Amino acid sequence: MKKNLKNILVLAASGALALSAMMFTSCGSTQTDGVDPAITKGVEAWNRRGPSTAENYWTNIADEKVKQKYLNYIKLYNDGVAALDSTDSMKATQEGKLLSACNTALSKFSALDAALQLDDEVCQKGTALTVPRINKLLEAEKVSEAKKMYKTAKQVYGASAELDTVGKEIDAVSSISAKKKSLKDEAEAASQIENVDDKIAAYQKIVDSIPSLKKDVAAAAAKSGAESTVPVKSAVKGFNNTCQDVVSQRKLAIREKAYEYKEQIGDVFARQLEGTGSGKNGAFTNQEILNHYQSVKADMQVAYDQLLEFQKKYPEEIDANVIKDVNAQKTTLQSKITVVEKEIAREKEIASRGKFVGMIGLFNAEAGDAKKSKPAKFSGSTKKKPDYLWGIVDIAPGAMNDLVITMKDNRNVHVFNQNTKSGKQIEKLGLKDLISRQNKVGNSWPVMNAREALNGSVYYVQVEQGKSDVYSGEAVVYASFITRSR
């Protein structure tokens, strides 16, 4: 038995063959006008007894070009069969090789003249190879490739129940993929919106439309009659995953806004005194320092209130740790204000400590670097003698955090955990320099394990003279200076 589709096409193709043969018949030929009998007999032999029997007739075709054309059909057929047979030894896991063999067979067979029929056995084997390949393409959302293969397979191997099912799968997957693409495009457009409130609103609109879209997808799958097949199930699952991604993107946008508030509070928290103070040599008095931190506290409260209002809108999406971290910052700030208030009571003693550097600690990490604090910057002039500074550092208990003083030039610095009284008692009291010089890198002077070394939250810096009177630097806390310097 030959495949039905070729039987249907053979009569219509006979006319085409006749016209082709007339065009290739030369004027000097001894044949009468019409189809070369060798062509017709070869086609009939092919369709009755197989392609190999056609060769005996086609070798007698008068026109050399036409003869080569028909003889090549036998080679195309044999190559197509060889491609099908090569899959006999392939494993199901060798999808790449199976797909290549499938495409080769389809390419060879589709190049045959329409009047040439394929054996039912070839058609069945080709269909059995092609259907799983189409399904794999659909599962990979390569719908265009699947459609092309399906169309070619129907032309080559003819209609079958298996290919009919594949056609239904393609219709369903195409519809679902289109809805999925539309959903992803809308989400991508929402992600490009700069204003956070507008971005969240755009995501919310998409999320609100998801239940209706899911009903449409379920209806498309049911209407196809192939909703229980793997490709359609996979398409539905992929669509649902995209829906979940959009929901997650909305949550992420909300959380990013919350972290934006947190960063804003952190920036306020890290705000430093600028300019010169009214104390000796332009140093800030403790009262000026206290006023500064009271201002920081007030501005932090404004941003904190905005964060709480935002949290009320989206209570389920805001990470509780954000509020917890900000509250920890507020507590830390208040503790430092308390330190300054106590220092004011010792105004005369503190006056000898020099300029105030600032407050630093990993409680207020550098943006994008959770293991480095925002820096406390300082500057001044040695004026032919060392200059003195002091600052406050907050290091969590048990953390091996390191305080690092980095200078703009290569002048020496010293760090102490006691008041130097303008350096007068450094030698007298034998104050220990806390700088770990063996771990020094460039112009960075580290105090390793600073929490233990400082024995408190106040540190004192002595800046020596350099090539220039003017100096500048910054104080930073690292989780591990040794690890970073390596």
Side-chain angles (χ1 to χ4, degrees):
M1 294 290 292
K2 306 297 181 180
K3 71 172 183 139
N4 293 333
L5 180 62
K6 292 296 185 180
N7 289 332
I8 294 172
L9 295 175
V10 69
L11 293 176
S14 295
L17 281 169
L19 178 60
S20 173
M22 290 174 64
M23 293 175 64
F24 283 105
T25 301
S26 67
C27 295
S29 174
T30 58
Q31 301 181 81
T32 57
D33 291 343
V35 179
D36 187 326
I39 293 177
T40 305
K41 290 180 180 180
V43 171
E44 291 173 352
W46 175 301
N47 292 336
R48 285 200 311 270
R49 300 188 300 276
S52 61
T53 60
E55 184 175 5
N56 294 331
Y57 298 98
W58 287 344
T59 53
N60 296 320
I61 296 175
D63 190 293
E64 187 63 30
K65 288 185 179 179
V66 176
K67 179 171 68 175
Q68 291 304 317
K69 172 185 174 182
Y70 278 90
L71 290 175
N72 189 54
Y73 287 150
I74 299 174
K75 183 179 186 306
L76 289 171
Y77 173 84
N78 290 334
D79 288 346
V81 171
L84 294 180
D85 291 343
S86 70
T87 64
D88 293 343
S89 60
M90 293 181 188
K91 297 180 181 179
T93 55
Q94 296 177 292
E95 182 57 33
K97 291 184 177 180
L98 290 168
L99 179 61
S100 177
C102 178
N103 284 327
T104 297
L106 287 173
S107 174
K108 301 299 182 181
F109 293 145
S110 63
L112 297 176
D113 190 282
L116 300 174
Q117 300 174 15
L118 296 180
D119 290 338
D120 286 344
E121 182 181 347
V122 172
C123 293
Q124 290 168 5
K125 189 169 186 177
T127 300
L129 174 65
T130 304
V131 168
R133 308 292 76 74
I134 296 176
N135 284 338
K136 291 290 185 182
L137 291 173
L138 289 175
E139 289 175 48
E141 298 187 48
K142 298 180 180 180
V143 181
S144 296
E145 291 182 43
K147 284 182 177 180
K148 182 179 179 181
M149 183 177 287
Y150 167 72
K151 181 179 179 181
T152 305
K154 284 198 72 173
Q155 291 173 345
V156 171
Y157 301 129
S160 65
E162 294 89 343
L163 285 174
D164 287 345
T165 299
V166 166
K168 294 175 182 178
E169 291 172 349
I170 289 175
D171 289 341
V173 173
S174 294
S175 176
I176 296 170
S177 295
K179 288 180 171 59
K180 178 180 176 180
K181 183 180 184 304
S182 177
L183 189 64
K184 292 181 73 172
D185 289 345
E186 289 183 41
E188 176 62 24
S191 71
Q192 300 302 315
I193 299 175
E194 293 187 6
N195 182 278
V196 177
D197 294 323
D198 291 342
K199 178 186 291 187
I200 295 172
Y203 276 127
Q204 187 64 54
K205 183 178 179 181
I206 301 171
V207 170
D208 291 343
S209 71
I210 286 177
S212 176
L213 290 172
K214 284 187 174 182
K215 288 182 180 180
D216 292 342
V217 166
K223 183 180 179 181
S224 71
E227 66 270 27
S228 62
T229 63
V230 173
V232 177
K233 284 184 176 180
S234 178
V236 172
K237 182 179 179 181
F239 177 81
N240 290 336
N241 288 342
T242 298
C243 292
Q244 187 57 49
D245 288 344
V246 175
V247 172
S248 298
Q249 288 172 36
R250 170 188 169 275
K251 289 183 179 180
L252 180 60
I254 293 171
R255 289 175 182 175
E256 284 179 345
K257 180 63 175 179
Y259 278 99
E260 183 180 305
Y261 280 120
K262 181 185 175 184
E263 285 297 317
Q264 179 183 345
I265 293 170
D267 289 341
V268 173
F269 184 82
R271 194 169 64 207
Q272 300 179 35
L273 283 160
E274 296 181 354
T276 57
S278 59
K280 185 178 179 180
N281 296 325
F284 289 101
T285 67
N286 282 306
Q287 187 60 53
E288 288 170 336
I289 296 170
L290 178 61
N291 292 342
H292 167 73
Y293 282 128
Q294 293 288 10
S295 173
V296 167
K297 181 179 179 181
D299 290 345
M300 277 183 66
Q301 188 63 44
V302 171
Y304 182 71
D305 290 341
Q306 292 174 342
L307 172 59
L308 293 182
E309 283 298 315
F310 186 72
Q311 185 192 31
K312 289 179 182 178
K313 294 182 181 179
Y314 312 101
E316 296 180 0
E317 286 81 3
I318 302 298
D319 189 344
N321 288 328
V322 172
I323 305 298
K324 181 180 178 181
D325 290 347
V326 173
N327 283 331
Q329 284 183 317
K330 291 177 65 180
T331 300
T332 299
L333 177 64
Q334 184 56 53
S335 69
K336 300 313 171 188
I337 290 174
T338 300
V339 170
V340 177
E341 288 173 337
K342 289 181 179 179
E343 299 295 289
I344 287 177
R346 301 160 58 200
E347 186 74 40
K348 291 183 180 180
E349 179 184 344
I350 299 300
S352 67
R353 294 179 178 174
K355 297 179 182 179
F356 178 68
V357 174
M359 180 166 57
I360 56 174
L362 291 180
F363 53 79
N364 191 33
E366 183 80 305
D369 190 345
K371 295 187 177 182
K372 173 186 176 183
S373 73
K374 286 184 171 67
K377 298 182 180 181
F378 57 84
S379 61
S381 174
T382 53
K383 297 180 180 178
K384 298 183 179 180
K385 64 179 180 178
D387 212 357
Y388 299 90
L389 307 100
W390 69 284
I392 301 174
V393 62
D394 183 83
I395 299 177
M400 296 290 289
N401 293 333
D402 307 323
L403 169 66
V404 180
I405 308 298
T406 300
M407 303 301 296
K408 194 169 184 179
D409 56 21
N410 61 358
R411 72 182 65 219
N412 290 331
V413 297
H414 309 274
V415 175
F416 306 94
N417 64 2
Q418 301 178 57
N419 179 16
T420 65
K421 294 184 180 293
S422 299
K424 294 179 180 179
Q425 296 188 23
I426 291 178
E427 294 185 7
K428 179 180 178 181
L429 299 178
L431 298 182
K432 180 182 179 181
D433 182 2
L434 302 180
I435 293 294
S436 177
R437 298 184 182 276
Q438 66 268 30
N439 291 309
K440 176 179 175 291
V441 178
N443 296 333
S444 294
W445 304 79
V447 176
M448 312 304 293
N449 193 11
R451 179 179 176 83
E452 181 179 337
L454 293 174
N455 194 29
S457 60
V458 181
Y459 64 95
Y460 312 97
V461 181
Q462 181 188 52
V463 180
E464 292 189 2
Q465 293 174 263
K467 293 181 179 179
S468 169
D469 288 344
V470 177
Y471 67 85
S472 64
E474 62 180 33
V476 175
V477 175
Y478 290 103
S480 175
F481 180 68
I482 291 179
T483 301
R484 299 182 70 94
S485 64
R486 287 176 180 169

